[in-house]
């Protein structure tokens, strides 16, 4: 196994005697930082975890695992390949991006209407790029970060150098539960019920992956936070989607019934956001010690930004990735939302590995942890081969229209059982 994939596999607690082979595809995901190696390692570790779980269920040897870099590169940019009836999917909103301040740069995230409104209210400016740029140029970056955060918006000061903090890639804690026995199955996660409490992009990538592997994935969203249709079209493959207000007594009973029959819960909200609903990892395990609880955060559990909301672009900016990718004094970006996608595949792999273990598990990952790994621990491997994304793109009819989308990167064949259903339109029940 190559050293980078071995690092990811070791972080997941995998057996050191297992290995993954890769079919190269040239200089894909080109960047100053070793994004190509991060991408193939995370998908490789996920593919190996899937093979391990399937073998454990069938009581057979683990077969050889091969991952194609072309499939990985295409999947890591799935939102950019998405076409809906020939129309490209949505990209960053006008008020999302890098902005000069009086002493440096800030990165804003205003893709969702409520985040845009809070950004504008915090800075008391009109919904206009010129007005926003003019106001930000008069302020210090950290002042913008804290002012916008206090108003419930999203902005971070852009770091001028890589954050030296070394964060764990994967944290795993077993729980006291009876031994889990899974029957033989045609696919690794067949029959596994996954309650998906995640939003853009890492969490949905993880649950999209579990759906491809056979899990019954039900995404649950609050009715007052609509999802972007293009984002859901990309990451909702193979899943169903329902709406529940956990503050409503009837909806809470429905949620509790779903939870009583779930095998896995994946959460992707900021730390503490679900606590008031009794859905923190600790509360979930207190009720169901046998659950696999996979907890995703932006910033991890330590540091000045721990506990805050965050997205891939903001984590890139605050950890020094934007500085490392700069070429002309302007902050740079990775060639993909690599923290999101990489963490998503690692999160899926952590769930698969937890299902191999005899007891319940609590696994925790963060975008900042993946950023730390990229900045400090990955050495690039030699570049070989050529890249053609076309074999890894397919068209699928869906309620949103005909989707051109990336294929799953775990195998050379197969796709999801069904396209994404319309957001929030499924009944809140298991199949």
């Amino acid at each position: 196994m190559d050293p980078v994939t071995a690092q990811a596999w070791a972080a997941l607690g995998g057996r050191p005697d297992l290995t993954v082979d890769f079919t190269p595809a040239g200089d894909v995901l080109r960047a100053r930082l070793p994004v190509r190696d991060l991408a193939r390692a995370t998908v490789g570790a996920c593919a190996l975890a899937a093979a391990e779980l399937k073998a454990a269920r069938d009581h057979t040897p683990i077969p050889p695992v091969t991952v194609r870099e072309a499939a990985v590169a295409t999947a890591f940019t799935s939102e950019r390949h998405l076409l809906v009836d020939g129309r490209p999917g949505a990209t960053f909103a006008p008020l999302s991006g890098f902005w000069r301040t009086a002493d440096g740069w800030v990165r804003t995230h205003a893709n969702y209407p409520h985040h845009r409104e809070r950004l504008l209210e915090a800075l008391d400016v009109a919904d206009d790029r010129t007005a926003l740029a003019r106001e930000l140029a008069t302020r210090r970056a950290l002042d913008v970060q804290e002012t916008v955060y206090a108003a419930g918006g999203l902005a971070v000061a852009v770091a001028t150098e890589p954050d030296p903090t070394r964060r764990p890639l994967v944290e795993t804690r077993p729980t006291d539960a009876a031994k889990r026995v899974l029957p033989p199955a045609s696919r690794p996660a067949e029959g596994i019920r996954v309650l998906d409490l995640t939003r853009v992009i890492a969490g949905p990538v993880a649950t999209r992956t579990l759906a491809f592997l056979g899990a019954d994935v039900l995404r649950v969203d609050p009715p007052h936070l609509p999802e972007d249709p293009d984002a859901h079209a990309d990451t909702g493959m193979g899943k169903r989607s329902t709406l529940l207000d956990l503050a409503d007594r009837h909806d809470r009973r429905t949620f509790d019934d779903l939870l009583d029959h779930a095998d896995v819960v994946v959460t992707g909200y900021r730390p503490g956001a679900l606590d008031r609903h009794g859905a923190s990892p600790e509360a979930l395990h207190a009720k169901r010690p046998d659950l696999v609880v996979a907890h995703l955060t932006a910033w991890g559990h330590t540091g000045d930004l721990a506990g805050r909301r965050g997205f891939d672009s903001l984590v890139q900016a605050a950890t020094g990735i934007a500085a490392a990718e700069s070429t002309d004094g302007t902050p740079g970006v990775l060639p993909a939302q690599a923290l999101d996608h990489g963490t998503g595949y690692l999160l899926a792999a952590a769930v698969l590995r937890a299902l191999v273990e005899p007891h319940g598990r609590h696994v925790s990952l963060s975008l900042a942890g993946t950023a730390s790994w990229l900045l400090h621990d990955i050495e690039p491997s030699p570049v070989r081969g050529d890249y053609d994304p076309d074999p890894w793109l397919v068209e699928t009819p869906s309620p949103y229209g005909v989707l051109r989308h990336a294929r799953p990167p775990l195998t050379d064949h197969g796709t999801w059982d069904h396209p994404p259903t319309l957001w929030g339109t499924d009944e809140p029940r298991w199949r």
Side-chain angles (χ1 to χ4, degrees):
M1 191 183 303
D2 73 276
V4 182
T5 309
Q7 290 174 16
W9 187 239
L12 292 162
R15 289 167 38 189
D17 59 311
L18 302 181
T19 189
V20 182
D21 292 323
F22 294 97
T23 302
D27 195 10
V28 294
L29 302 173
R30 180 182 299 179
R32 290 189 166 192
L33 294 170
V35 177
R36 175 177 64 90
D37 294 270
L38 176 148
R40 74 177 201 168
T42 56
V43 173
C46 189
L48 187 56
E52 179 190 40
L53 177 58
K54 180 69 165 60
R57 298 185 70 167
D58 295 346
H59 305 287
T60 59
I62 299 172
V65 176
T66 299
V67 169
R68 297 185 182 274
E69 283 187 358
V72 173
T74 306
F76 258 62
T77 50
S78 63
E79 64 274 15
R80 300 181 190 180
H81 288 291
L82 179 70
L83 295 179
V84 183
D85 285 336
R87 171 186 62 80
T91 57
F92 281 103
L95 300 188
S96 295
F98 292 108
W99 307 86
R100 285 191 180 274
T101 64
D103 62 343
W105 294 84
V106 293
R107 174 92 194 205
T108 59
H109 194 287
N111 284 16
Y112 286 101
H114 59 290
H115 289 152
R116 182 186 69 248
E117 292 166 6
R118 291 166 186 172
L119 172 70
L120 297 173
E121 290 171 1
L123 301 173
D124 193 23
V125 295
D127 189 355
D128 175 78
R129 284 184 57 86
T130 301
L132 180 60
R134 187 183 300 118
E135 176 63 25
L136 290 174
T138 69
R139 297 181 178 239
R140 296 173 63 86
L142 279 176
D143 170 61
V144 173
Q145 173 181 292
E146 296 306 309
T147 300
V148 172
Y149 167 70
L154 291 161
V156 298
V158 178
T160 57
E161 58 186 17
D163 182 354
T165 306
R166 307 295 281 267
R167 302 178 186 275
L169 186 58
V170 182
E171 297 178 273
T172 303
R173 185 172 71 245
T175 61
D176 185 15
K179 185 175 181 179
R180 180 191 298 109
V181 178
L182 297 177
S186 60
R187 287 186 289 175
E190 182 177 282
I192 300 300
R193 291 172 167 173
V194 178
L195 204 54
D196 178 4
L197 308 179
T198 72
R199 296 173 71 86
V200 182
I201 294 175
V205 164
T207 52
R208 179 181 71 182
T209 302
L210 295 173
F212 168 69
L213 295 170
D216 179 10
V217 179
L218 180 63
R219 173 168 162 167
V220 178
D221 283 280
H224 64 281
L225 288 179
E227 181 58 282
D228 177 81
D230 291 347
H232 188 64
D234 178 40
T235 60
M237 287 286 178
K239 300 187 278 187
R240 293 176 298 120
S241 168
T242 196
L243 301 180
L244 292 174
D245 180 357
L246 299 189
D248 176 85
R249 186 177 303 174
H250 177 269
D251 282 5
R252 181 54 201 246
R253 284 198 298 268
T254 301
F255 177 81
D256 286 341
D257 183 62
L258 290 170
L259 182 61
D260 285 343
H261 297 88
D263 301 292
V264 177
V265 178
V266 184
T267 68
Y269 290 82
R270 64 176 174 80
L274 297 175
D275 291 9
R276 68 182 184 277
H277 301 299
S280 68
E282 294 75 18
L284 291 172
H285 272 143
K287 185 174 183 180
R288 286 280 312 284
D290 59 321
L291 271 177
V292 173
V293 177
H295 186 211
L296 169 70
T297 64
W299 306 103
H301 304 289
T302 59
D304 294 339
L305 300 178
R308 298 190 180 186
R309 300 175 183 87
F311 291 89
D312 182 306
S313 59
L314 300 181
V315 177
Q316 287 190 39
T319 58
I321 288 175
E325 292 294 329
S326 174
T327 57
D328 58 0
T330 302
V333 297
L334 299 179
Q337 300 290 95
L339 305 182
D340 267 331
H341 286 273
T343 308
Y345 288 109
L346 287 176
L347 188 65
V351 169
L352 297 168
R353 289 235 63 253
L355 291 169
V356 172
E357 302 295 333
H359 306 294
R361 290 270 161 168
H362 174 200
V363 297
S364 180
L365 293 87
S366 70
L367 302 185
T370 304
S372 174
W373 184 45
L374 176 64
L375 285 165
H376 300 298
D377 297 318
I378 300 178
E379 292 293 332
S381 60
V383 173
R384 296 181 291 115
D386 298 305
Y387 175 51
D388 178 8
D390 286 347
W392 307 103
L393 296 170
V394 295
E395 288 192 346
T396 301
S398 82
Y400 290 96
V402 176
L403 305 180
R404 187 197 72 172
H405 61 92
R407 288 173 47 190
L410 301 186
T411 67
D412 285 355
H413 54 82
T415 187
W416 290 272
D417 289 342
H418 60 82
T421 58
L422 290 175
W423 181 80
T425 59
D426 292 295
E427 291 295 320
R429 57 181 176 80
W430 297 113
R431 287 201 298 253

